[in-house]
Every structure is written in structure tokens, then in C-alpha cells.
């Protein structure tokens, strides 16, 4: 049996942009379902006769399960057609929304969230590698920017529409609406996604071998620092705007909306920036966010408009970050993009948990301004690592063996 060519060595596929749009719809549906409980927490808690803290577990359980799903999905599904795997994740999302919509108590609510988190982590792990098979190498950054554009749209929809529609029709009907969107997503994916047979076996040990490649560990640590810094700040952005900027509800809502819109624009701009220089994009975005973190820590409260502008600029810069790092993994390990994608998903989920935890500790000790300074420091450290040792060219398994001074089988 002939050995499959690595992804980078294959002829460029014809661009299937409708399939990329189908994946974007998947991102929108998954992320919206992920964040809906945050905007519906109070009515969900009252209806299920549980505390808001218990209902909040429906949000916090996401990171742990999605982390494990991202790490394991490539090994568990290594012999399955990727089209079938992605469709299965959409089916799982539908089931998850239905379980939550009809949940009689906390146990069923958490079950629904676990099902969603499996789909979420698995989908993200396969997304970059799937995009590589749908479009030519030149179009990968633009396709990934389109894919990630679903995130800010879904976040805004979950926060604004979720609470509004929940007040009008009840939180269960909001999840039924999310189910309907998921069904439409499944149908569109069924029509547009081509067959994508596995290119090579990806046992669990592949994750370890990918991590051992030169420069990979530095890149993963940089990802942890950048995302940890972002979520440390973003978790406490509302206390900053209320306590330091002294914004009322209207100004607060407008600023958060501006953040979301700027994040969307930054996501779309990422493809253009990466086509010109991936390394520069990886460097400039955390450098800008880290600088903004220190400016907010030192100048925050000077004027409401200035604070709002800096928060919006932060949103723009962060919009390019997931696109840039997803493009990075497709370039440095094109032959193991699925395993690399799993490592990125796990790193980001860990960073979300660490960011919230670090932010909480710092907030308790030094207040929200200290959180801004800490977030800025983490982001600047991530930018420094990009300069120091993050590679942006393919790193093969052969290079790994050569670096270790041993022969490859």
C-alpha cells in the first residue's frame, strides 16, 4: 500500500467556499450554544430550582470537556471520513440543545452541556486541517478568517438576542431556536461538505511526537500566554468599565458592542495581514494588546471615550489572534495538522481556565487595574516568545530526529 502524501505535498484542491461557509455556520451555531447560558443564567436557575452558581456550572464545564475532546478526537476518529465526523458533531450539537431545552433539572442540564463540549472541542481540533483540504494553500488564511468570523457574530447574538428573546419567549424556547439553527447548519453541511477520507493514522502518541518537534513547545507556551492574558482581562472588562470608567448601562452596552464589532472586523482583516506576514501578525497583535493592557492600567478612567476606544482596539487586535495561530499550525506541521489543531484547542481551553483564575486572584489582591497590568504583562511575554523562538516554516519529523541526533525509521 502506498504511503499517503503529507498535506503540504498534495496538489492544491479546488477551492470549495460553500463548504467553508458551512463550517462557518458550524462555528456560529456551536459558539452561540456555548454562550447562551451566560445570558439566560437567572431564568434558567429559577426554572430548574437551582442556584445561579449551579447554573453557572453549565458554562464552566465547557473548558475541561472541550480540552479532552480536542486532544482525543483525532485518535478516536482516525479511520473515519472527516465529512462524517463533522456531520456527527453537528448531530451532537442538535442533541445537546434539545437535552438542555427539555432539562428537568441540573443533571440533565450538565449532560446537555457535556455533549455540546465534545462537539465543540472536536470541531475546533479538525477545523484548520479541514480548511487546508477545502482550499488552496494561498487561500488558507482568508478561509480561516471567514471561519473565525462566526465567533464574534455568535458571541454578540448569544449575549444580546439570548437575553432579549429569553425575556419574550422563555429560555427553553431560545434553546429550541438554537436547535433549529443547528438543524439548518447540518443540512447545509450535508449538501456542501465533500468526502474527506483520513490521510494517515493519527494515534494518540502522535500528539507527543508533534510536541517534540523543534519550536513547537515555544509556540504552545506563547499561545498559553497570549490567550491567558486576553481572558484574564476580558473576564473583568465589565468591572473595569463600571468601576474605573464609571460607565452607565447604555455606555457599557455600547462599548461591549463596539468590542464585538471591532473583533469581527479584526477577524476578517486577519487573512489580509497574514498573507503579507504571518510572523508579523503573530507579533503585533499581542504586542498591541499588551500595550493596551498597561495603558488601561495607568491611564484608565482618564476619559470614558478613551477607555471605550482602547477596549475596541483590543477587540480588533484579538480578532486576528485565533486566525493567526490556526494558520501557524497549518504551516509548521502541515503533515499533522489535525493533531496540531488538537494541541491548539487544548492550549486555548487551558488558557481560558487559567486566565479566569489568574484574573480572579489578581482582582482580589490589587483590583481591576492590577488585572489590566497582569494581562498586559502576559501578552507582552507572549509577543517576546514569538520573536525569540516561534517558527513559521514547516518543521518535519525528520527535523525532530536530526535535532535529537538520532536516525529516523
Amino acid at each position: 500500500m502506498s504511503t499517503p502524501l503529507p498535506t503540504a505535498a498534495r496538489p492544491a484542491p479546488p477551492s470549495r467556499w460553500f463548504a467553508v461557509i458551512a463550517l462557518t455556520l458550524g462555528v456560529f451555531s456551536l459558539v452561540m450554544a456555548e454562550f447562551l447560558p451566560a445570558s439566560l443564567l437567572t431564568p434558567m436557575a429559577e426554572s430548574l430550582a437551582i442556584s445561579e452558581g449551579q447554573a453557572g456550572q453549565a458554562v464552566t464545564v465547557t473548558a475541561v470537556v472541550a480540552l479532552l475532546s480536542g486532544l482525543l478526537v483525532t485518535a478516536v476518529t482516525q479511520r473515519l471520513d472527516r465529512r462524517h465526523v463533522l456531520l456527527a458533531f453537528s448531530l451532537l450539537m442538535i442533541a445537546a440543545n434539545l437535552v438542555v431545552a427539555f432539562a428537568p433539572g441540573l443533571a440533565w442540564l450538565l449532560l446537555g452541556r457535556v455533549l455540546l463540549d465534545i462537539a465543540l472541542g472536536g470541531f475546533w481540533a479538525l477545523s484548520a486541517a479541514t480548511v487546508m483540504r477545502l482550499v488552496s494553500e494561498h487561500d488558507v488564511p482568508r478561509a480561516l478568517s471567514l471561519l473565525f468570523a462566526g465567533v464574534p457574530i455568535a458571541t454578540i447574538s448569544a449575549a444580546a438576542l439570548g437575553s432579549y428573546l429569553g425575556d419574550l419567549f422563555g429560555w427553553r424556547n431560545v434553546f429550541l431556536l438554537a436547535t433549529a439553527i443547528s438543524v439548518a447548519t447540518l443540512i447545509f453541511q450535508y449538501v456542501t461538505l465533500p468526502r474527506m477520507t483520513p490521510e494517515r493514522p493519527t494515534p494518540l502518541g502522535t500528539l507527543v511526537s508533534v510536541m517534540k518537534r523543534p519550536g513547537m513547545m515555544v509556540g504552545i507556551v506563547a499561545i498559553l500566554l497570549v490567550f491567558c492574558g486576553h481572558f484574564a482581562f476580558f473576564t473583568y472588562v465589565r468591572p473595569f468599565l463600571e468601576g474605573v470608567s464609571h460607565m452607565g448601562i447604555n455606555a457599557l452596552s455600547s462599548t461591549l458592542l463596539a468590542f464585538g464589532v471591532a473583533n469581527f472586523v479584526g477577524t476578517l482583516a486577519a487573512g489580509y495581514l497574514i498573507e503579507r506576514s504571518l510572523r508579523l501578525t503573530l507579533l503585533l497583535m499581542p504586542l498591541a494588546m499588551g500595550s493596551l493592557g498597561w495603558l488601561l492600567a495607568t491611564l484608565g478612567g482618564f476619559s470614558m471615550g478613551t477607555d471605550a476606544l482602547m477596549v475596541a482596539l483590543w477587540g480588533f487586535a484579538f480578532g486576528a489572534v485565533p486566525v493567526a495561530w490556526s494558520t501557524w499550525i497549518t504551516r509548521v506541521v502541515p503533515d499533522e495538522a489535525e493533531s496540531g489543531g488538537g494541541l491548539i484547542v487544548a492550549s486555548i481551553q487551558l488558557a481560558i481556565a487559567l486566565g479566569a483564575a489568574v484574573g480572579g486572584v489578581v482582582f482580589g489582591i490589587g483590583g481591576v487595574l492590577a488585572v489590566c497590568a497582569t494581562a498586559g504583562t502576559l501578552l507582552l511575554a507572549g509577543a517576546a516568545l514569538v520573536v525569540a523562538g516561534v517558527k513559521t516554516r514547516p518543521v518535519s519529523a525528520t527535523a525532530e530526529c536530526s535535532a535529537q541526533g538520532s536516525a529516523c525509521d
Side-chain angles (χ1 to χ4, degrees):
M1 184 174 65
S2 61
T3 304
L5 288 171
T7 306
R10 293 183 180 277
S15 293
R16 300 183 176 94
W17 287 103
F18 281 112
V20 176
I21 292 172
L23 293 179
T24 303
L25 285 175
V27 169
F28 172 80
S29 302
L30 283 164
V31 174
M32 184 175 68
E34 178 188 8
F35 287 112
L36 272 180
S39 63
L40 299 168
L41 205 60
T42 301
M44 288 175 68
E46 292 176 353
S47 173
L48 297 172
I50 57 178
S51 69
E52 289 189 6
Q54 289 175 309
Q57 293 177 35
V59 179
T60 56
V61 73
T62 301
V64 177
V65 179
L67 186 154
L68 294 174
S69 176
L71 287 175
L72 298 176
V73 64
T74 55
V76 173
T77 66
Q78 59 182 303
R79 302 190 183 279
L80 300 179
D81 188 310
R82 272 29 201 154
R83 165 186 161 88
H84 297 155
V85 176
L86 291 167
L87 292 176
F89 286 145
S90 292
L91 280 170
L92 203 58
M93 173 173 57
I94 293 169
N97 285 329
L98 286 174
V99 168
V100 173
F102 294 103
L106 178 61
W108 283 95
L109 173 64
L110 294 179
L111 173 62
R113 299 302 293 179
V114 166
L115 294 177
L116 179 70
D117 300 338
I118 293 171
L120 186 72
F123 181 90
W124 280 125
L126 298 181
S127 59
T130 302
V131 166
M132 288 178 68
R133 300 181 66 174
L134 293 175
V135 301
S136 64
E137 182 179 356
H138 177 267
D139 287 332
V140 166
R142 274 185 287 176
L144 286 172
S145 68
L146 176 61
L147 182 76
F148 280 94
V151 175
I153 297 174
T155 304
I156 294 170
S157 299
L161 289 178
S163 57
Y164 177 73
L165 295 177
D167 186 58
L168 287 179
F169 305 112
W171 69 269
R172 295 184 187 273
N173 285 323
V174 174
F175 276 95
L176 289 177
L177 175 60
T179 303
I181 295 173
S182 301
V183 170
T185 297
L186 174 65
I187 294 171
F188 193 57
Q189 289 177 342
Y190 182 84
V191 171
T192 59
L193 288 178
R195 289 180 58 84
M196 291 175 283
T197 56
E199 295 189 319
R200 57 189 297 174
T202 51
L204 200 55
T206 304
L207 291 170
V208 178
S209 65
V210 169
M211 279 294 292
K212 288 181 178 179
R213 296 190 186 186
M216 278 298 298
M217 182 63 75
V218 176
I220 294 299
V221 174
I223 290 171
L224 280 170
L225 288 170
V226 171
F227 280 88
C228 185
H230 167 71
F231 284 102
F233 166 75
F234 190 68
T235 303
Y236 293 92
V237 65
R238 179 163 182 166
F240 173 86
L241 295 175
E242 289 179 329
V244 177
S245 304
H246 304 293
M247 291 187 181
I249 188 61
N250 291 333
L252 175 67
S253 300
S254 298
T255 301
L256 293 178
L257 177 61
F259 175 94
V261 172
N263 185 249
F264 174 71
V265 174
T267 302
L268 292 181
Y272 175 85
L273 296 171
I274 292 167
E275 284 179 358
R276 276 135 190 87
S277 175
L278 173 59
R279 176 176 292 278
L280 202 57
T281 306
L282 289 172
L283 170 63
L284 289 181
M285 297 306 112
L287 185 61
M289 294 162 66
S291 301
L292 287 167
W294 273 100
L295 286 173
L296 288 166
T298 55
L299 302 178
F302 177 76
S303 79
M304 194 180 298
T306 302
D307 291 349
L309 176 61
M310 287 194 285
V311 169
L313 288 173
W314 184 299
F316 176 86
F318 182 69
V321 169
V323 184
W325 283 109
S326 294
T327 304
W328 172 76
I329 204 67
T330 66
R331 291 191 182 176
V332 295
V333 285
D335 56 322
E336 295 291 357
E338 288 188 358
S339 295
L343 287 172
I344 283 191
V345 170
S347 301
I348 292 174
Q349 295 300 326
L350 178 60
I352 291 173
L354 287 176
V358 169
V361 171
V362 173
F363 183 80
I365 296 173
V368 72
L369 293 179
V371 172
C372 294
T374 302
T377 302
L378 291 170
L379 285 153
L380 292 176
L385 272 186
V386 171
V387 174
V390 172
K391 301 178 182 296
T392 56
R393 294 183 179 180
V395 180
S396 66
T398 304
E400 172 200 338
C401 295
S402 298
Q404 295 173 352
S406 59
C408 294
D409 294 331

